[in-house]
Amino acid sequence: MIKFLLKTAILAAVFYGLTYWEVLPGLTVNPNEDGPLGVYGTYLWIGLLFGVVNAIVGPILRLLSLPFVVLTLGLFLLVVNAALLGLTALLTDRLEVDGFITALLGGLILAIAGWAADQLLDR
């Protein structure tokens, strides 16, 4: 449970970094300044929502897309990560993803950050 919460905080920090430095111009977060934790609470909420979507829907999508993943030597997983980011944006009105390329690049960056967080937290 603590590992999941720490990974949520890391994903929230990645979302914050992506939107603060405008790494992906099509990825925007509409912060709720009046929320319980202010602006940072919005990023924590999006990180939590992305983590839950990734944990619940992610394995199902990866299993269903297994033939495409094998056929493309794993590159189709980028499309799956983009779909997970798009699904997260559909579930909340605080996250906006403009276009497939933005979702693809955002999914790639979040997948790398999630992998790094798993490697860091497993030690």
Side-chain angles (χ1 to χ4, degrees):
M1 182 70 171
I2 291 178
K3 180 181 172 184
F4 182 76
L5 293 176
L6 287 173
K7 189 173 178 181
T8 298
I10 291 171
L11 287 174
V14 171
F15 272 111
Y16 181 77
L18 285 174
T19 56
Y20 181 76
W21 288 299
E22 296 179 4
V23 176
L24 296 173
L27 185 70
T28 56
V29 172
N30 304 319
N32 183 9
E33 297 171 354
D34 298 328
L37 296 175
V39 173
Y40 300 112
T42 304
Y43 289 99
L44 285 172
W45 166 248
I46 292 173
L48 176 69
L49 193 60
F50 182 75
V52 168
V53 166
N54 202 8
I56 294 174
V57 180
I60 297 168
L61 280 180
R62 287 182 192 95
L63 181 65
L64 291 175
S65 67
L66 189 61
F68 296 110
V69 172
V70 171
L71 187 64
T72 62
L73 301 175
L75 289 177
F76 195 76
L77 287 174
L78 294 174
V79 176
V80 171
N81 287 333
L84 294 173
L85 182 60
L87 182 61
T88 303
L90 285 175
L91 292 176
T92 182
D93 59 346
R94 297 289 173 193
L95 177 65
E96 295 177 8
V97 180
D98 297 334
F100 178 72
I101 299 298
T102 302
L104 191 71
L105 293 175
L108 174 65
I109 293 170
L110 288 167
I112 291 171
W115 173 81
D118 284 338
Q119 296 300 313
L120 182 68
L121 296 174
D122 281 342
R123 294 184 181 208

PDB file of all heavy atoms in Angstrom, residues 56-70 76-77 80:
ATOM      1  N   ILE A  56      -5.868  -1.373 -12.983  1.00  0.00           N
ATOM      2  CA  ILE A  56      -7.078  -2.159 -13.236  1.00  0.00           C
ATOM      3  C   ILE A  56      -7.290  -2.415 -14.724  1.00  0.00           C
ATOM      4  O   ILE A  56      -7.447  -3.553 -15.158  1.00  0.00           O
ATOM      5  CB  ILE A  56      -8.308  -1.457 -12.615  1.00  0.00           C
ATOM      6  CG1 ILE A  56      -8.174  -1.446 -11.096  1.00  0.00           C
ATOM      7  CG2 ILE A  56      -9.587  -2.157 -13.038  1.00  0.00           C
ATOM      8  CD1 ILE A  56      -9.233  -0.659 -10.382  1.00  0.00           C
ATOM      9  N   VAL A  57      -7.286  -1.363 -15.512  1.00  0.00           N
ATOM     10  CA  VAL A  57      -7.576  -1.503 -16.941  1.00  0.00           C
ATOM     11  C   VAL A  57      -6.325  -1.910 -17.725  1.00  0.00           C
ATOM     12  O   VAL A  57      -6.422  -2.596 -18.736  1.00  0.00           O
ATOM     13  CB  VAL A  57      -8.174  -0.183 -17.494  1.00  0.00           C
ATOM     14  CG1 VAL A  57      -8.498  -0.290 -18.966  1.00  0.00           C
ATOM     15  CG2 VAL A  57      -9.398   0.202 -16.706  1.00  0.00           C
ATOM     16  N   GLY A  58      -5.158  -1.503 -17.257  1.00  0.00           N
ATOM     17  CA  GLY A  58      -3.909  -1.781 -17.965  1.00  0.00           C
ATOM     18  C   GLY A  58      -3.674  -3.250 -18.271  1.00  0.00           C
ATOM     19  O   GLY A  58      -3.395  -3.610 -19.431  1.00  0.00           O
ATOM     20  N   PRO A  59      -3.744  -4.142 -17.285  1.00  0.00           N
ATOM     21  CA  PRO A  59      -3.526  -5.560 -17.598  1.00  0.00           C
ATOM     22  C   PRO A  59      -4.537  -6.138 -18.582  1.00  0.00           C
ATOM     23  O   PRO A  59      -4.192  -6.980 -19.417  1.00  0.00           O
ATOM     24  CB  PRO A  59      -3.646  -6.245 -16.232  1.00  0.00           C
ATOM     25  CG  PRO A  59      -3.345  -5.193 -15.246  1.00  0.00           C
ATOM     26  CD  PRO A  59      -3.837  -3.910 -15.849  1.00  0.00           C
ATOM     27  N   ILE A  60      -5.772  -5.667 -18.515  1.00  0.00           N
ATOM     28  CA  ILE A  60      -6.801  -6.157 -19.442  1.00  0.00           C
ATOM     29  C   ILE A  60      -6.466  -5.726 -20.869  1.00  0.00           C
ATOM     30  O   ILE A  60      -6.517  -6.535 -21.805  1.00  0.00           O
ATOM     31  CB  ILE A  60      -8.191  -5.649 -19.011  1.00  0.00           C
ATOM     32  CG1 ILE A  60      -8.549  -6.215 -17.640  1.00  0.00           C
ATOM     33  CG2 ILE A  60      -9.248  -6.019 -20.045  1.00  0.00           C
ATOM     34  CD1 ILE A  60      -9.751  -5.571 -16.996  1.00  0.00           C
ATOM     35  N   LEU A  61      -6.101  -4.449 -21.036  1.00  0.00           N
ATOM     36  CA  LEU A  61      -5.734  -3.973 -22.367  1.00  0.00           C
ATOM     37  C   LEU A  61      -4.479  -4.653 -22.888  1.00  0.00           C
ATOM     38  O   LEU A  61      -4.385  -4.969 -24.075  1.00  0.00           O
ATOM     39  CB  LEU A  61      -5.528  -2.460 -22.355  1.00  0.00           C
ATOM     40  CG  LEU A  61      -6.759  -1.589 -22.422  1.00  0.00           C
ATOM     41  CD1 LEU A  61      -6.377  -0.120 -22.405  1.00  0.00           C
ATOM     42  CD2 LEU A  61      -7.572  -1.899 -23.652  1.00  0.00           C
ATOM     43  N   ARG A  62      -3.509  -4.881 -22.013  1.00  0.00           N
ATOM     44  CA  ARG A  62      -2.275  -5.545 -22.449  1.00  0.00           C
ATOM     45  C   ARG A  62      -2.547  -6.990 -22.867  1.00  0.00           C
ATOM     46  O   ARG A  62      -1.948  -7.479 -23.825  1.00  0.00           O
ATOM     47  CB  ARG A  62      -1.240  -5.486 -21.336  1.00  0.00           C
ATOM     48  CG  ARG A  62      -0.661  -4.108 -21.160  1.00  0.00           C
ATOM     49  CD  ARG A  62       0.415  -4.063 -20.075  1.00  0.00           C
ATOM     50  NE  ARG A  62       0.738  -2.690 -19.761  1.00  0.00           N
ATOM     51  CZ  ARG A  62       0.206  -1.993 -18.766  1.00  0.00           C
ATOM     52  NH1 ARG A  62      -0.659  -2.550 -17.951  1.00  0.00           N
ATOM     53  NH2 ARG A  62       0.546  -0.746 -18.557  1.00  0.00           N
ATOM     54  N   LEU A  63      -3.434  -7.659 -22.162  1.00  0.00           N
ATOM     55  CA  LEU A  63      -3.776  -9.031 -22.521  1.00  0.00           C
ATOM     56  C   LEU A  63      -4.542  -9.083 -23.840  1.00  0.00           C
ATOM     57  O   LEU A  63      -4.254  -9.919 -24.701  1.00  0.00           O
ATOM     58  CB  LEU A  63      -4.604  -9.682 -21.407  1.00  0.00           C
ATOM     59  CG  LEU A  63      -5.013 -11.136 -21.640  1.00  0.00           C
ATOM     60  CD1 LEU A  63      -3.783 -12.020 -21.682  1.00  0.00           C
ATOM     61  CD2 LEU A  63      -5.962 -11.593 -20.566  1.00  0.00           C
ATOM     62  N   LEU A  64      -5.502  -8.186 -24.015  1.00  0.00           N
ATOM     63  CA  LEU A  64      -6.284  -8.177 -25.253  1.00  0.00           C
ATOM     64  C   LEU A  64      -5.446  -7.773 -26.466  1.00  0.00           C
ATOM     65  O   LEU A  64      -5.724  -8.198 -27.580  1.00  0.00           O
ATOM     66  CB  LEU A  64      -7.484  -7.237 -25.116  1.00  0.00           C
ATOM     67  CG  LEU A  64      -8.579  -7.686 -24.160  1.00  0.00           C
ATOM     68  CD1 LEU A  64      -9.644  -6.619 -24.027  1.00  0.00           C
ATOM     69  CD2 LEU A  64      -9.190  -9.002 -24.608  1.00  0.00           C
ATOM     70  N   SER A  65      -4.436  -6.953 -26.243  1.00  0.00           N
ATOM     71  CA  SER A  65      -3.608  -6.504 -27.358  1.00  0.00           C
ATOM     72  C   SER A  65      -2.338  -7.336 -27.530  1.00  0.00           C
ATOM     73  O   SER A  65      -1.456  -6.951 -28.296  1.00  0.00           O
ATOM     74  CB  SER A  65      -3.232  -5.036 -27.164  1.00  0.00           C
ATOM     75  OG  SER A  65      -2.379  -4.892 -26.044  1.00  0.00           O
ATOM     76  N   LEU A  66      -2.249  -8.467 -26.864  1.00  0.00           N
ATOM     77  CA  LEU A  66      -1.044  -9.287 -26.915  1.00  0.00           C
ATOM     78  C   LEU A  66      -0.627  -9.680 -28.339  1.00  0.00           C
ATOM     79  O   LEU A  66       0.568  -9.607 -28.653  1.00  0.00           O
ATOM     80  CB  LEU A  66      -1.214 -10.535 -26.035  1.00  0.00           C
ATOM     81  CG  LEU A  66       0.032 -11.383 -25.828  1.00  0.00           C
ATOM     82  CD1 LEU A  66       1.111 -10.568 -25.150  1.00  0.00           C
ATOM     83  CD2 LEU A  66      -0.301 -12.605 -25.014  1.00  0.00           C
ATOM     84  N   PRO A  67      -1.545 -10.067 -29.227  1.00  0.00           N
ATOM     85  CA  PRO A  67      -1.094 -10.381 -30.591  1.00  0.00           C
ATOM     86  C   PRO A  67      -0.439  -9.187 -31.290  1.00  0.00           C
ATOM     87  O   PRO A  67       0.558  -9.353 -31.997  1.00  0.00           O
ATOM     88  CB  PRO A  67      -2.384 -10.785 -31.314  1.00  0.00           C
ATOM     89  CG  PRO A  67      -3.308 -11.215 -30.239  1.00  0.00           C
ATOM     90  CD  PRO A  67      -2.964 -10.394 -29.049  1.00  0.00           C
ATOM     91  N   PHE A  68      -0.983  -7.986 -31.093  1.00  0.00           N
ATOM     92  CA  PHE A  68      -0.390  -6.801 -31.702  1.00  0.00           C
ATOM     93  C   PHE A  68       0.960  -6.463 -31.071  1.00  0.00           C
ATOM     94  O   PHE A  68       1.866  -6.000 -31.749  1.00  0.00           O
ATOM     95  CB  PHE A  68      -1.331  -5.603 -31.587  1.00  0.00           C
ATOM     96  CG  PHE A  68      -2.613  -5.784 -32.328  1.00  0.00           C
ATOM     97  CD1 PHE A  68      -3.803  -5.949 -31.649  1.00  0.00           C
ATOM     98  CD2 PHE A  68      -2.633  -5.806 -33.712  1.00  0.00           C
ATOM     99  CE1 PHE A  68      -4.991  -6.116 -32.327  1.00  0.00           C
ATOM    100  CE2 PHE A  68      -3.808  -5.976 -34.411  1.00  0.00           C
ATOM    101  CZ  PHE A  68      -5.000  -6.130 -33.716  1.00  0.00           C
ATOM    102  N   VAL A  69       1.075  -6.694 -29.762  1.00  0.00           N
ATOM    103  CA  VAL A  69       2.333  -6.442 -29.068  1.00  0.00           C
ATOM    104  C   VAL A  69       3.419  -7.373 -29.604  1.00  0.00           C
ATOM    105  O   VAL A  69       4.550  -6.951 -29.882  1.00  0.00           O
ATOM    106  CB  VAL A  69       2.163  -6.601 -27.541  1.00  0.00           C
ATOM    107  CG1 VAL A  69       3.499  -6.537 -26.836  1.00  0.00           C
ATOM    108  CG2 VAL A  69       1.222  -5.533 -27.003  1.00  0.00           C
ATOM    109  N   VAL A  70       3.075  -8.628 -29.790  1.00  0.00           N
ATOM    110  CA  VAL A  70       4.044  -9.595 -30.321  1.00  0.00           C
ATOM    111  C   VAL A  70       4.388  -9.246 -31.768  1.00  0.00           C
ATOM    112  O   VAL A  70       5.552  -9.285 -32.167  1.00  0.00           O
ATOM    113  CB  VAL A  70       3.486 -11.036 -30.200  1.00  0.00           C
ATOM    114  CG1 VAL A  70       4.362 -12.017 -30.940  1.00  0.00           C
ATOM    115  CG2 VAL A  70       3.358 -11.419 -28.741  1.00  0.00           C
ATOM    116  N   PHE A  76       3.458  -1.740 -29.718  1.00  0.00           N
ATOM    117  CA  PHE A  76       2.041  -1.463 -29.524  1.00  0.00           C
ATOM    118  C   PHE A  76       1.734  -1.103 -28.075  1.00  0.00           C
ATOM    119  O   PHE A  76       0.691  -0.508 -27.795  1.00  0.00           O
ATOM    120  CB  PHE A  76       1.192  -2.664 -29.973  1.00  0.00           C
ATOM    121  CG  PHE A  76      -0.258  -2.333 -30.151  1.00  0.00           C
ATOM    122  CD1 PHE A  76      -0.683  -1.631 -31.255  1.00  0.00           C
ATOM    123  CD2 PHE A  76      -1.193  -2.706 -29.196  1.00  0.00           C
ATOM    124  CE1 PHE A  76      -2.018  -1.300 -31.419  1.00  0.00           C
ATOM    125  CE2 PHE A  76      -2.532  -2.395 -29.352  1.00  0.00           C
ATOM    126  CZ  PHE A  76      -2.939  -1.686 -30.468  1.00  0.00           C
ATOM    127  N   LEU A  77       2.641  -1.425 -27.157  1.00  0.00           N
ATOM    128  CA  LEU A  77       2.441  -1.029 -25.762  1.00  0.00           C
ATOM    129  C   LEU A  77       2.416   0.489 -25.607  1.00  0.00           C
ATOM    130  O   LEU A  77       1.808   1.004 -24.667  1.00  0.00           O
ATOM    131  CB  LEU A  77       3.522  -1.634 -24.870  1.00  0.00           C
ATOM    132  CG  LEU A  77       3.399  -3.134 -24.625  1.00  0.00           C
ATOM    133  CD1 LEU A  77       4.600  -3.642 -23.848  1.00  0.00           C
ATOM    134  CD2 LEU A  77       2.116  -3.456 -23.899  1.00  0.00           C
ATOM    135  N   VAL A  80      -1.113   1.334 -26.056  1.00  0.00           N
ATOM    136  CA  VAL A  80      -1.869   0.973 -24.855  1.00  0.00           C
ATOM    137  C   VAL A  80      -1.676   2.032 -23.775  1.00  0.00           C
ATOM    138  O   VAL A  80      -2.645   2.460 -23.124  1.00  0.00           O
ATOM    139  CB  VAL A  80      -1.455  -0.428 -24.351  1.00  0.00           C
ATOM    140  CG1 VAL A  80      -2.062  -0.728 -22.996  1.00  0.00           C
ATOM    141  CG2 VAL A  80      -1.839  -1.489 -25.361  1.00  0.00           C
TER     142      VAL A  80
END
